[in-house]
Structure formats: C-alpha cells, structure tokens
Amino acid sequence: MKLKNIKEITIFTGPEDAILSEVAREIPLTINYQTIVSHTLNLEIITNLSSLDIKIYDMAGRLVKRFSTDSGALIRASTEIEHTGIYFIQILSGNRVVWKGRFISYQ
C-alpha cells in the first residue's frame, strides 16, 4: 500500500480492504452521499469511530429517521424518504455531533 500526498490531495492505492483501513486511520470520518435523491438516501461512511447515531430531520426540525451503527471501518446505510423536501443529516458519536449535511428528496 502506498500513501502519497500531492498538494493536499491524498491518493490511496492497493486492495480495497487495505485502502478503507488506511482511510479510516488517516481521516476519522468520511461521508459519501448524493445531495439530490429520489425516495432513497444512500450513505457510505468510512470511519475509525465506533457507535455512530445517524439522524435525519425535515425542514420543520422533526426527526423523521434514526438509526445507529456499532462498527467502524465501512458502513453502508440506505433509508427510504417518503416525502419531497429538504432534509438534514446529523451524525453523532456519543453525545458529540461529528458531521452535518443536507439533501433534497423528490418524488
């Protein structure tokens, strides 16, 4: 496995498991998701944090979805969004908010 830094860009090469392990070690939390979705939000989380609590709120601040994970490394989560609108994602580790994001869902 090679780890190269080029002007603030890190390139990971090697087998997928080794890459995920290296990314999780170097970067505590990496989130991959689409900001515009049709019915389904897919989250891919690479982390060295354990026990994440993922919450999704609507524009009125109502909690519409909540799920938890208890493992680190690679987490893939998919959830159905029933209504069109703007939603907010909050990821917590323990009582601490470690990431916030938003997305739009349309029918």
Side-chain angles (χ1 to χ4, degrees):
M1 162 153 310
K2 295 180 181 179
L3 178 63
K4 301 175 186 176
N5 281 319
I6 304 171
K7 293 185 183 179
E8 298 183 23
I9 297 173
T10 304
I11 300 171
F12 296 93
T13 61
E16 183 181 13
D17 291 345
I19 291 170
L20 293 175
S21 176
E22 190 65 29
V23 169
R25 189 178 14 240
E26 294 291 321
I27 305 166
L29 186 68
T30 302
I31 312 289
N32 182 26
Y33 75 107
Q34 292 182 308
T35 56
I36 301 174
V37 302
S38 176
H39 303 290
T40 305
L41 173 66
N42 295 304
L43 290 171
E44 186 176 79
I45 303 167
I46 303 171
T47 184
N48 61 9
L49 303 170
S50 61
S51 184
L52 296 177
D53 193 21
I54 301 163
K55 298 178 181 181
I56 299 174
Y57 296 91
D58 65 11
M59 281 291 291
R62 292 182 297 250
L63 181 66
V64 294
K65 299 281 181 173
R66 181 181 183 169
F67 48 99
S68 299
T69 66
D70 58 0
S71 63
L74 177 63
I75 300 161
R76 287 190 174 109
S78 180
T79 188
E80 294 295 317
I81 305 298
E82 297 174 15
H83 302 289
T84 297
I86 298 172
Y87 292 86
F88 301 94
I89 308 166
Q90 187 178 64
I91 299 179
L92 296 96
S93 179
N95 293 349
R96 191 182 67 156
V97 174
V98 293
W99 187 83
K100 292 180 184 180
R102 63 183 171 265
F103 68 96
I104 297 170
S105 178
Y106 67 93
Q107 307 294 31

